[in-house]
Amino acid sequence: MSTMCFDHLPNEIILIITHYLSHNDILHCFFLLNSRFRQLILNHHSYTSLQLPTTNSSTWQRILSLLASHIQSLTIVNYHLIFPLDHFPNLTSLVLSSPHGFSNEQFSSIIESGCFSRLRSLHIKDAVVRKLSYKYKELDSEQMLFGKVFSDGNNLEVFEYVNEVETLERRRFTGLTWNVHIRSLKIRLEVLQNVFHFLLYTPNLRSLHIRAPFPSESTFPNNLEEFSGIALEEFLFYTDSTLLPRNATLFDRIHLHVLIHTIQIFSSTLVTLSLRCSYCALVDIAEHEKHILLNGYELENELLKSMIELKNFHLYVETYKDEYSLPTIISTFRSQFWLDHNWIINGHHVANAICLYSLPFPFSELPAVQNFDKIIINHRERSTFKSRLWSNITSLGIYVVNQTNTTGLFRFVKLNLPKVKSLQFFGLRRLESCTESDHLIFAEKLNAIDVTLYHVTTIQFELIQMEHLKAKFFHKFPRFNRLVLKATDLPPINHELAEVFNKQLQRLDVTESVNLATINHQYLPNLEYLQLTLTYVRGSQKVKQLCTRIENFLRNLPKLQCLALFSLFDGYGPLLPLQSSIADLLQTEIVDKFEVQQSSHYQRFVRKTNQI
């Protein structure tokens, strides 16, 4: 049998191999191998972007001694920083995307580094900023961050911040000044109207993305005329069922006219308007407002017609009220106005829901679909169902009901949704409406999937009985490593799925109502991240059981890097009854292995650097 050294392969084959690897893997494996590989990599790959390494510091020290000055974009995905940012003198873009968060010391070292003033873009994703209770006088990372961003001492043009900015009325953002460089602002707010607080400091803003609840109050600031001078070109508003105003209920009145009026402030300059509104009819909307997002005539006359520069209108609306007729809704989008703009509006049913959206589908998430073959469209002659119409989608929610054609659905996904990384599978919306026969039908449909989706890494189940699933289902997703469970239990350890999870599962997100007894070191030896979403933790026995589970996870899951307890409610809510028991836990040797972080919504145990 003949053999061949890897070094003898032609350049063309080596370059094909590198296309299957990340930049970090290519550099770590090949950059120091020999001069031929080093030149091959430098000549055929752009290494201006890098994910900050956290291990093998001696090897990376040698690599960065040759490459660091070329790095312009840096992504930090881990709590541990073995290289300070000053290693990268030409850095212009920074992405913070660590699910572990950062301590105040680590975060301070990032934004106080010498390169911060040279950054052109800063993206803070996930819950990476550690917030402290407002009643304490300790350092508030968010306060420090905004003081650096909204100032004339930096060159930031793009700022993205996905942590929710809460209770501006109680916060004292002092020392903020104009930043004339900022052109793009992406921010998540507790209250939509709070955006005006930040617009005071961004006079040259061109793109604004807001993630917030629907307005539950009709108040506006008194100085609205101050913002009309901002020549905004792009406006995106995003809301869904996870975004509710503080202390609001599902039945609080929402005021769509607040959203509409906010948009109209910039109507003379807007080129692109995007509205992504899920679950909007779960709340009470005033009678004279409730149809505007579902009526093409009203959208045209009340909002869009006055926007003389508008070229792009993107829409997604999801509603669960039975009073709406989808054919009637679509008919309102067939006027000459919609035809002239070539704006294609689609609609489909999911159980008793209506989903209305524009094509090509403009957003990365399509949260509700049952079949792609029962779509109603306003101008079919203007549209052909090609892959480009759906190519933006990376996350897809699938409702598995009796009428779902999963075989056709997944073949469509394979051909037309090439970037899907996350799949959410939903049973019936109400568990009590779901019989054992329904669960078996759901499982049969999922087990019958006959296509392989190589890009999928995250799978979510809600109201699905996993014990009816077979291992062959997960074999259709060879890169699967993250599982999200809502009202769905893990199957027992002797189930055939256990072998799949033992090998592949690295991250698990569950609600506290899920049976946690199944989670152990024999079942999930490769688990690195575990998040428990808490709703209500009442009764001393339940608190004791949960704390015992937490201690077992911290002691016995060998690769666990982070355990996060997350509350859906303001303040500590469900976390509060756990505080004394967790304090007792921290008197043990657990504190030597894990650092504890906490905010109003979460408590994290992050493994210390010397324990990795």
Side-chain angles (χ1 to χ4, degrees):
M1 182 178 68
S2 61
T3 60
M4 175 179 288
C5 293
F6 185 79
D7 195 19
H8 293 165
L9 291 174
N11 290 349
E12 292 77 10
I13 293 180
I14 293 175
L15 291 174
I16 291 173
I17 293 172
T18 61
H19 283 302
Y20 293 90
L21 303 174
S22 68
H23 281 188
N24 284 55
D25 289 338
I26 295 170
L27 292 173
H28 188 261
C29 293
F30 302 125
F31 192 73
L32 299 177
L33 195 59
N34 55 45
S35 59
R36 176 205 170 199
F37 277 84
R38 186 179 309 145
Q39 289 303 314
L40 187 64
I41 291 171
L42 290 176
N43 292 337
H44 291 84
H45 288 273
S46 174
Y47 287 101
T48 59
S49 178
L50 182 72
Q51 179 176 303
L52 188 68
T54 57
T55 58
N56 302 310
S57 58
S58 59
T59 300
W60 278 105
Q61 188 74 50
R62 296 171 60 196
I63 294 173
L64 293 178
S65 66
L66 300 170
L67 268 185
S69 61
H70 297 277
I71 303 300
Q72 298 176 15
S73 177
L74 189 66
T75 299
I76 302 176
V77 298
N78 197 288
Y79 168 75
H80 309 291
L81 307 176
I82 63 174
F83 295 102
L85 296 188
D86 292 336
H87 264 66
F88 309 95
N90 295 312
L91 194 65
T92 59
S93 176
L94 182 62
V95 179
L96 305 182
S97 184
S98 170
H100 305 156
F102 290 95
S103 68
N104 284 321
E105 293 75 19
Q106 292 281 18
F107 192 71
S108 296
S109 70
I110 292 173
I111 67 174
E112 295 291 347
S113 66
C115 74
F116 191 89
S117 62
R118 298 191 296 271
L119 290 179
R120 297 297 180 90
S121 66
L122 175 62
H123 305 266
I124 299 182
K125 303 176 181 292
D126 301 318
V128 300
V129 172
R130 179 180 174 186
K131 301 177 184 178
L132 301 175
S133 174
Y134 306 121
K135 65 183 179 182
Y136 297 116
K137 294 183 179 180
E138 293 137 334
L139 177 63
D140 182 342
S141 299
E142 191 172 79
Q143 166 78 34
M144 180 173 57
L145 171 68
F146 289 161
K148 296 286 287 187
V149 170
F150 297 98
S151 100
D152 57 4
N154 65 70
N155 293 298
L156 278 179
E157 298 175 1
V158 177
F159 177 49
E160 178 180 4
Y161 185 68
V162 301
N163 291 321
E164 184 180 66
V165 182
E166 305 165 356
T167 54
L168 287 180
E169 296 78 9
R170 288 157 47 191
R171 305 178 69 81
R172 288 174 171 77
F173 290 123
T174 58
L176 304 191
T177 58
W178 276 16
N179 186 331
V180 297
H181 302 291
I182 290 184
R183 297 291 190 272
S184 175
L185 175 64
K186 299 180 180 181
I187 196 162
R188 177 176 174 177
L189 300 171
E190 176 190 9
V191 179
L192 170 63
Q193 293 90 321
N194 281 345
V195 71
F196 295 105
H197 181 93
F198 297 100
L199 293 180
L200 287 171
Y201 306 107
T202 56
N204 295 319
L205 194 67
R206 296 295 178 266
S207 176
L208 176 61
H209 290 204
I210 303 173
R211 182 182 173 114
F214 275 115
S216 60
E217 298 179 1
S218 58
T219 57
F220 281 101
N222 296 324
N223 56 340
L224 284 180
E225 64 279 358
E226 293 186 24
F227 307 105
S228 59
I230 299 177
L232 199 65
E233 297 175 0
E234 180 183 24
F235 186 102
L236 181 145
F237 176 77
Y238 177 111
T239 193
D240 63 21
S241 62
T242 65
L243 301 172
L244 287 174
R246 281 292 172 261
N247 304 316
T249 72
L250 286 176
F251 305 101
D252 277 356
R253 176 67 55 89
I254 68 173
H255 298 271
L256 283 178
H257 73 275
V258 174
L259 171 62
I260 300 303
H261 190 47
T262 302
I263 297 170
Q264 287 173 333
I265 294 172
F266 313 105
S267 62
S268 64
T269 57
L270 277 181
V271 176
T272 298
L273 174 62
S274 302
L275 302 175
R276 189 191 183 282
C277 307
S278 297
Y279 300 93
C280 66
L282 283 179
V283 286
D284 186 23
I285 305 174
E287 187 67 28
H288 67 283
E289 296 181 356
K290 67 179 181 179
H291 294 296
I292 188 169
L293 295 178
L294 297 169
N295 190 304
Y297 299 129
E298 293 193 22
L299 272 172
E300 172 188 343
N301 294 311
E302 297 296 326
L303 183 63
L304 302 178
K305 185 177 288 186
S306 62
M307 298 182 181
I308 57 177
E309 300 295 333
L310 194 66
K311 300 294 188 298
N312 310 300
F313 177 62
H314 303 145
L315 179 68
Y316 181 88
V317 181
E318 188 178 337
T319 178
Y320 291 94
K321 282 193 174 181
D322 296 330
E323 64 191 77
Y324 302 118
S325 164
L326 181 56
T328 301
I329 290 173
I330 293 297
S331 68
T332 66
F333 291 89
R334 289 179 174 146
S335 70
Q336 192 64 39
F337 173 84
W338 295 92
L339 185 65
D340 290 344
H341 286 82
N342 197 28
W343 289 340
I344 303 169
I345 303 297
N346 263 24
H348 68 254
H349 286 282
V350 177
N352 65 332
I354 287 176
C355 299
L356 186 73
Y357 48 90
S358 52
L359 282 181
F361 194 84
F363 306 107
S364 61
E365 301 171 6
L366 177 55
V369 71
Q370 183 177 329
N371 296 298
F372 276 99
D373 57 354
K374 297 180 180 180
I375 292 173
I376 301 177
I377 191 168
N378 63 337
H379 297 300
R380 184 169 296 277
E381 66 278 6
R382 295 292 183 98
S383 172
T384 55
F385 286 88
K386 297 180 180 178
S387 59
R388 66 175 182 84
L389 297 179
W390 311 94
S391 60
N392 291 327
I393 297 174
T394 60
S395 177
L396 181 65
I398 299 171
Y399 283 84
V400 187
V401 297
N402 291 344
Q403 299 81 13
T404 305
N405 178 8
T406 51
T407 300
L409 175 62
F410 273 82
R411 289 176 181 173
F412 186 92
V413 171
K414 175 79 171 181
L415 293 174
N416 298 285
L417 283 71
K419 299 178 183 178
V420 168
K421 296 181 179 179
S422 175
L423 294 174
Q424 296 90 45
F425 295 95
F426 303 99
L428 293 181
R429 294 188 180 280
R430 299 176 61 189
L431 187 61
E432 60 268 25
S433 302
C434 197
T435 66
E436 184 66 21
S437 176
D438 290 326
H439 285 300
L440 288 171
I441 291 173
F442 298 165
E444 288 174 3
K445 289 179 175 295
L446 296 182
N447 290 328
I449 294 173
D450 61 351
V451 297
T452 301
L453 300 180
Y454 292 96
H455 292 96
V456 172
T457 59
T458 299
I459 295 177
Q460 173 180 317
F461 292 114
E462 183 170 343
L463 298 174
I464 301 286
Q465 289 186 354
M466 288 185 65
E467 59 266 29
H468 298 312
L469 294 178
K470 299 184 180 300
K472 67 178 183 179
F473 167 80
F474 285 97
H475 293 161
K476 301 301 179 182
F477 314 102
R479 296 183 62 188
F480 153 76
N481 59 36
R482 179 181 179 183
L483 183 64
V484 181
L485 300 180
K486 297 181 178 180
T488 299
D489 285 327
L490 281 167
I493 195 170
N494 59 351
H495 195 278
E496 63 180 282
L497 294 183
E499 183 178 355
V500 176
F501 297 156
N502 284 344
K503 291 180 179 179
Q504 295 182 238
L505 199 58
Q506 297 177 0
R507 176 166 178 166
L508 177 63
D509 299 41
V510 300
T511 59
E512 134 254 353
S513 59
V514 169
N515 181 13
L516 302 179
T518 313
I519 304 173
N520 59 60
H521 62 287
Q522 293 178 319
Y523 198 161
L524 303 172
N526 294 311
L527 195 67
E528 297 179 0
Y529 186 96
L530 174 61
Q531 177 171 300
L532 308 180
T533 299
L534 307 178
T535 51
Y536 296 97
V537 184
R538 294 177 176 175
S540 59
Q541 186 64 27
K542 188 171 183 180
V543 170
K544 182 178 179 180
Q545 289 176 350
L546 184 55
C547 283
T548 300
R549 296 293 179 201
I550 292 171
E551 182 175 7
N552 287 336
F553 299 153
L554 295 173
R555 290 182 182 276
N556 298 319
L557 291 174
K559 295 187 178 181
L560 188 67
Q561 300 299 309
C562 180
L563 168 62
L565 308 177
F566 179 76
S567 168
L568 293 178
F569 300 95
D570 193 21
Y572 284 101
L575 291 177
L576 190 58
L578 296 171
Q579 293 304 304
S580 60
S581 298
I582 290 176
D584 293 339
L585 178 61
L586 296 180
Q587 302 304 313
T588 68
E589 68 273 14
I590 294 293
V591 75
D592 296 327
K593 296 182 179 180
F594 291 88
E595 176 185 340
V596 181
Q597 304 173 0
Q598 65 183 29
S599 80
S600 60
H601 293 286
Y602 65 78
Q603 181 143 356
R604 292 194 184 101
F605 298 84
V606 180
R607 191 177 293 274
K608 294 181 178 179
T609 308
N610 59 4
Q611 297 296 319
I612 296 178

